[in-house]
Amino acid sequence: MISERLKPLMANNSAVRMMFEEGNRLRAEYGKDKVFDFSLGNPDAPVPEEISKAIKDIVDETPVMELHGYMSNAGYEDVRATIAEHLNKLHGTSFGKNNILMTVGAASALNIALKTVVNPGEEVVIFAPYFLEYNWYVNNADGVVVPCQTDENFLPDMKRLEECITEKTRAVLINTPHNPTGVVYSEEVIKGIAEVLEKKQKEYDRAIFLISDEPYRELAYDGIKVPYITKYYDNTFVVYSYSKSLSLPGDRIGYLVVPPDMEDSEFVFETVTAVNRISGAVNAPSIQQKLVARCIDSKVNLEYYDRNRKTLYNGLKECGFECVMPQGAFYLFLKSPVEDAGEFCNAAKKYNILMVNGASFKAPGYVRLAYCVSHETIENSLPAFKKLAEEYNLNTL
Amino acid sequence: MISERLKPLMANNSAVRMMFEEGNRLRAEYGKDKVFDFSLGNPDAPVPEEISKAIKDIVDETPVMELHGYMSNAGYEDVRATIAEHLNKLHGTSFGKNNILMTVGAASALNIALKTVVNPGEEVVIFAPYFLEYNWYVNNADGVVVPCQTDENFLPDMKRLEECITEKTRAVLINTPHNPTGVVYSEEVIKGIAEVLEKKQKEYDRAIFLISDEPYRELAYDGIKVPYITKYYDNTFVVYSYSKSLSLPGDRIGYLVVPPDMEDSEFVFETVTAVNRISGAVNAPSIQQKLVARCIDSKVNLEYYDRNRKTLYNGLKECGFECVMPQGAFYLFLKSPVEDAGEFCNAAKKYNILMVNGASFKAPGYVRLAYCVSHETIENSLPAFKKLAEEYNLNTL
């Protein structure tokens, strides 16, 4: 009944559902507080307190036909202007309202950017490991994914990047802070990528776009700087979401930046606006647009995730596991003590620990732990991790 | 800079923008109340009064993490159950929550249905005239549109439908009440379509889907019945939106029905749910889902459009124009008094009347008037239409 090309999607869907059901089975058998589910990347830091009042104020203060009626497919002009100014203040950019397309979250913005620039059969380079859902977004644009292996610290290797770029390359997709590894690309890394792309643009005499997926931008720890990409490379699309920065994933609100320095910026902006329409989104949901503009300075409590990060990292290191302290997002990437990370995930289930095999991110030999869970869950999980470590004879000093 | 295949989209976009700017120019020159703009299909009947309070109540009564957090990609279970029950009560169907996928409006639902079932190169039959944006939705699924000309009353011709269906046909897309003609398909018409499709399914031994786009379902006049399509044909997707029924187009909320009698219904529902995710929508906006469930019995005031319909129709007939009384939606399809409807549109502009050339709907020789405007606009436009009619020597009795 379904399109042939969706069959791999549904096969993978079954696998995800099986894991979800396994979690439910364990919770039913052992009790919710005895199961340590690190498999889901769902933001759970409390929604900022001012959000509820802001929605009610918006309803009270906005003419009803303005709040619910048709608008430009790009979104409300005042909302776009507010976001542009906010970014200018933070990053020293020079955006105006016609550089900001309001979207149904980051996933929609990514689909729009890809559809706008990728011709069927053209290539999109993505640094591996990566969030495999990107494959489907590229597929929606009839593009072809070219994975580019990162180095041992999960950072881009410029030589490999050069090798991955061909005359068919239309875009390079980056994600920083990064899912699943938690790394943040430094200014040096960004400059390195920009340099390669500038060179390749000249070589092939054609635009190569850098698409920066930044839903975790605000989740960066220890004061680490997350460089703003448009300052380093003109043909950059920035994809943003409020799902994590305000804990609003159900609301589906984000935006796409088409910077003024992009070649033919005005026409590209008109095109992403039209693509927003034909993609079926039409426009970002109206109430949520007004909401993020009104709460432009709001943020979730970073401390919520940071505390989890430190407790989990220190606990795992004490057990003898090998991992790198994540710099951003809410994921910790752990090296499996055995080659087969699937076997390791299965062993963990005996202790009611649920993790995702790194193979789901093109990183065999690793597992991903999403630490967007209660701090209690983290603390209670540590004795279980200790037993798991003992099973592998770690930390046997 | 943009993908080659989007170039026709942007060419058409320029044409629409030129018309929009022409309207603005006329309004600036003659004053807003002296311009009769029938070009835009934007619902303008007042949003039902209870909507504003409902949003505030939802904020007050829903746990904040439930109202903004992740949910099933299909939408909230309670919302889906409420809508299923509502449809069962109205239409005698047997839907449950796993037959209702909450979507980012009807355009998103249509894209999802098409992507789910259409293999690249397969054909989608659409009765002409039709809303040309459908071309882009089918294109997004790499399908091919096959227009099927309707009869002189804009109703499906079963013989032509049979001829349009080939072994490559995957779906037939219908829209009733209809944009741009205002016709409503009777039970007899629906039965006729179902009969042809049943026969062709057998002939080619393969599912052919009927996709029913119904954003105007509630806008049907004189008590005319709009048959519920799943009762006549099992492999039907119903696409619905609250943009018109509650005047909430900016909110982006609608749903897709996968009826229990569809072949392999459960798996198809899982697939549309996954396609909702990979399309970038992920889920329908959370507040709006809760809103339509809470206001399940709300409706815009049909009288608002009905009064416009009658005044405009009677006024145009009195002028000597040839048109059919629309039965639903908020469009009136007028026969151009000269073969070139573009010339007629241009002539109308002299009297500050803005209409859309039927060529934009594959209906040369006609123009579309969207009567979702204030009643005052309709009344004030009639003397202008009279002058226009005189220019064409109509009603010279």
Side-chain angles (χ1 to χ4, degrees):
Chain A
M1 292 291 277
I2 70 166
S3 170
E4 284 299 321
R5 60 180 162 180
L6 294 178
K7 289 187 175 164
L9 172 72
M10 296 317 291
N12 181 58
N13 233 42
S14 306
V16 172
R17 205 194 32 238
M18 271 170 63
M19 185 154 64
F20 185 71
E21 281 167 4
E22 175 80 357
N24 284 341
R25 194 187 60 73
L26 290 174
R27 275 181 282 267
E29 190 171 338
Y30 297 97
K32 217 174 145 184
D33 57 326
K34 300 276 190 301
V35 178
F36 315 112
D37 190 345
F38 295 98
S39 68
L40 298 170
N42 294 351
D44 74 328
V47 174
E49 265 181 28
E50 57 272 28
I51 293 290
S52 296
K53 181 169 181 301
I55 298 170
K56 292 192 282 181
D57 288 348
I58 287 165
V59 171
D60 283 337
E61 295 165 20
T62 317
V64 70
M65 295 305 277
E66 181 189 328
L67 186 55
H68 302 289
Y70 266 110
M71 71 193 78
S72 159
N73 298 137
Y76 292 113
E77 294 202 353
D78 59 335
V79 169
R80 287 151 49 205
T82 301
I83 291 172
E85 270 167 48
H86 180 71
L87 292 173
N88 294 344
K89 205 172 66 184
L90 287 179
H91 307 297
T93 47
S94 314
F95 302 151
K97 64 177 195 286
N98 288 342
N99 301 115
I100 310 290
L101 176 81
M102 299 307 297
T103 62
V104 176
S108 185
L110 262 174
N111 271 284
I112 291 165
L114 289 163
K115 181 92 181 184
T116 297
V117 298
V118 175
N119 288 286
E122 285 184 337
E123 294 171 351
V124 178
V125 175
I126 311 182
F127 294 110
Y130 66 91
F131 178 48
L132 285 196
E133 203 92 343
Y134 290 159
N135 287 342
W136 287 104
Y137 305 164
V138 173
N139 188 286
N140 285 340
D142 296 316
V144 177
V145 171
V146 176
C148 182
Q149 196 54 50
T150 50
D151 68 16
E152 65 286 2
N153 298 313
F154 304 115
L155 289 170
D157 176 316
M158 299 311 160
K159 203 167 157 291
R160 279 193 213 133
L161 175 59
E162 275 206 45
E163 287 162 8
C164 284
I165 295 178
T166 71
E167 61 192 359
K168 291 177 102 180
T169 304
R170 189 55 162 162
V172 174
L173 174 52
I174 62 172
N175 169 225
T176 164
H178 189 257
N179 172 15
T181 65
V183 303
V184 172
Y185 292 1
S186 67
E187 188 173 39
E188 194 197 336
V189 168
I190 301 299
K191 281 182 175 167
I193 295 171
E195 207 176 296
V196 172
L197 295 189
E198 294 288 5
K199 183 179 142 189
K200 291 290 177 180
Q201 282 198 135
K202 279 205 192 97
E203 187 178 332
Y204 297 120
D205 192 24
R206 188 156 178 256
I208 300 175
F209 296 89
L210 185 56
I211 304 179
S212 181
D213 182 28
E214 310 187 349
Y216 302 101
R217 165 166 285 281
E218 321 305 337
L219 308 188
Y221 307 104
D222 303 326
I224 195 174
K225 213 186 137 195
V226 184
Y228 206 78
I229 316 289
T230 60
K231 290 155 71 181
Y232 303 91
Y233 187 69
D234 290 346
N235 286 334
T236 296
F237 288 104
V238 177
V239 167
Y240 189 81
S241 161
Y242 293 92
S243 294
K244 283 86 185 182
S245 62
L246 295 177
S247 282
L248 303 177
D251 286 276
R252 311 310 308 142
I253 186 74
Y255 59 80
L256 175 68
V257 178
V258 179
D261 293 335
M262 180 182 282
E263 243 176 273
D264 222 352
S265 172
E266 230 174 284
F267 182 60
V268 174
F269 187 75
E270 275 174 42
T271 310
V272 295
T273 302
V275 173
N276 198 18
R277 193 181 76 238
I278 62 159
S279 74
V282 181
N283 58 255
S286 51
I287 301 171
Q288 285 82 350
Q289 287 190 47
K290 296 274 185 194
L291 178 63
V292 297
R294 189 173 279 242
C295 298
I296 192 80
D297 292 313
S298 294
K299 277 178 195 164
V300 291
N301 180 8
L302 189 60
E303 174 58 25
Y304 178 92
Y305 295 123
D306 194 15
R307 203 171 150 225
N308 287 352
R309 175 181 76 117
K310 287 175 180 152
T311 306
L312 183 62
Y313 173 79
N314 292 331
L316 292 172
K317 287 298 263 192
E318 268 171 40
C319 291
F321 286 108
E322 203 178 311
C323 55
V324 177
M325 182 70 145
Q327 301 168 291
F330 40 50
Y331 307 105
L332 190 148
F333 220 43
L334 189 74
K335 196 161 171 27
S336 167
V338 285
E339 209 183 315
D340 183 353
E343 183 203 308
F344 179 54
C345 286
N346 280 331
K349 274 186 209 153
K350 285 184 294 187
Y351 307 99
N352 291 350
I353 299 171
L354 299 174
M355 315 182 285
V356 180
N357 188 336
S360 301
F361 306 93
K362 283 205 194 297
Y366 285 85
V367 298
R368 188 191 78 171
L369 292 159
Y371 55 83
C372 43
V373 295
S374 74
H375 193 71
E376 212 185 348
T377 299
I378 306 251
E379 282 184 332
N380 293 341
S381 73
L382 294 180
F385 275 114
K386 192 152 186 283
K387 285 185 209 150
L388 179 63
E390 278 160 9
E391 187 172 328
Y392 287 97
N393 299 315
L394 304 177
N395 196 21
T396 50
L397 308 176
Chain B
M1 293 290 278
I2 70 165
S3 169
E4 285 297 323
R5 60 181 163 179
L6 294 178
K7 290 189 173 162
L9 174 72
M10 296 316 291
N12 181 56
N13 233 42
S14 307
V16 171
R17 203 191 36 236
M18 271 172 63
M19 185 153 66
F20 186 73
E21 281 166 5
E22 175 81 358
N24 284 341
R25 194 187 60 73
L26 289 174
R27 275 181 283 267
E29 190 171 340
Y30 298 97
K32 216 173 145 186
D33 58 325
K34 301 274 189 305
V35 177
F36 315 112
D37 190 346
F38 294 99
S39 68
L40 298 169
N42 295 351
D44 74 329
V47 174
E49 265 180 30
E50 57 273 27
I51 292 290
S52 296
K53 183 170 182 300
I55 298 171
K56 292 192 281 182
D57 288 347
I58 286 165
V59 171
D60 284 335
E61 295 165 20
T62 317
V64 70
M65 296 305 277
E66 180 189 329
L67 186 55
H68 302 290
Y70 266 112
M71 72 195 77
S72 158
N73 298 137
Y76 292 113
E77 294 202 353
D78 58 335
V79 169
R80 288 151 50 207
T82 300
I83 291 172
E85 269 166 49
H86 180 71
L87 292 173
N88 294 344
K89 204 172 65 185
L90 286 179
H91 306 298
T93 47
S94 314
F95 301 153
K97 63 177 195 285
N98 288 341
N99 301 114
I100 309 291
L101 176 82
M102 299 307 297
T103 63
V104 176
S108 184
L110 261 174
N111 271 283
I112 291 165
L114 289 163
K115 180 92 181 183
T116 297
V117 298
V118 175
N119 288 286
E122 285 183 337
E123 295 171 351
V124 178
V125 175
I126 311 181
F127 294 110
Y130 66 92
F131 179 47
L132 285 196
E133 203 92 342
Y134 290 158
N135 287 342
W136 286 104
Y137 305 164
V138 173
N139 189 285
N140 286 339
D142 296 316
V144 177
V145 170
V146 175
C148 181
Q149 197 54 51
T150 50
D151 67 16
E152 65 285 2
N153 298 313
F154 304 115
L155 287 171
D157 176 316
M158 299 312 159
K159 202 167 158 291
R160 280 194 210 132
L161 174 59
E162 276 205 46
E163 287 163 7
C164 285
I165 295 178
T166 71
E167 61 193 0
K168 292 178 100 179
T169 304
R170 188 57 163 161
V172 174
L173 174 52
I174 62 172
N175 168 225
T176 165
H178 189 257
N179 172 15
T181 65
V183 301
V184 173
Y185 292 0
S186 67
E187 189 174 36
E188 194 196 337
V189 168
I190 302 298
K191 282 182 173 167
I193 295 172
E195 206 175 297
V196 172
L197 294 190
E198 294 288 5
K199 182 179 143 188
K200 290 290 178 179
Q201 281 197 135
K202 279 206 192 97
E203 185 177 332
Y204 298 121
D205 192 24
R206 186 154 181 259
I208 300 174
F209 296 89
L210 185 56
I211 304 179
S212 181
D213 182 29
E214 310 188 348
Y216 302 100
R217 165 165 286 280
E218 321 305 336
L219 308 189
Y221 307 104
D222 302 326
I224 195 174
K225 213 185 137 197
V226 184
Y228 206 77
I229 315 290
T230 61
K231 292 155 70 179
Y232 303 91
Y233 187 69
D234 289 345
N235 287 334
T236 295
F237 288 104
V238 177
V239 167
Y240 189 81
S241 161
Y242 292 92
S243 294
K244 283 86 185 180
S245 62
L246 294 177
S247 282
L248 302 176
D251 286 276
R252 311 311 306 142
I253 186 73
Y255 60 79
L256 175 67
V257 178
V258 178
D261 293 335
M262 179 182 282
E263 244 176 271
D264 222 352
S265 171
E266 233 174 281
F267 182 61
V268 174
F269 187 74
E270 276 174 40
T271 309
V272 295
T273 301
V275 173
N276 198 17
R277 195 181 73 239
I278 62 159
S279 75
V282 182
N283 58 255
S286 50
I287 302 171
Q288 284 83 351
Q289 286 190 47
K290 297 274 186 193
L291 179 62
V292 298
R294 189 173 279 243
C295 299
I296 192 80
D297 291 314
S298 293
K299 278 179 194 166
V300 292
N301 180 8
L302 190 60
E303 173 59 23
Y304 179 93
Y305 296 123
D306 194 13
R307 202 170 151 226
N308 286 353
R309 176 181 75 118
K310 287 173 179 154
T311 306
L312 183 61
Y313 174 79
N314 291 332
L316 291 171
K317 287 298 264 191
E318 268 172 40
C319 290
F321 287 109
E322 205 178 311
C323 55
V324 178
M325 181 71 143
Q327 300 168 292
F330 42 49
Y331 307 105
L332 190 148
F333 220 46
L334 189 74
K335 197 162 171 24
S336 166
V338 285
E339 208 183 313
D340 183 352
E343 182 203 308
F344 179 55
C345 286
N346 280 331
K349 273 186 208 154
K350 284 184 295 187
Y351 307 100
N352 292 350
I353 298 171
L354 299 174
M355 316 182 284
V356 180
N357 188 338
S360 301
F361 306 92
K362 284 205 192 296
Y366 284 84
V367 299
R368 187 190 78 170
L369 293 159
Y371 55 82
C372 43
V373 295
S374 74
H375 193 70
E376 212 185 349
T377 299
I378 306 250
E379 282 184 330
N380 292 341
S381 73
L382 294 179
F385 274 114
K386 192 152 187 283
K387 285 184 208 150
L388 179 62
E390 279 161 6
E391 188 174 328
Y392 287 97
N393 298 315
L394 303 178
N395 195 20
T396 50
L397 309 175

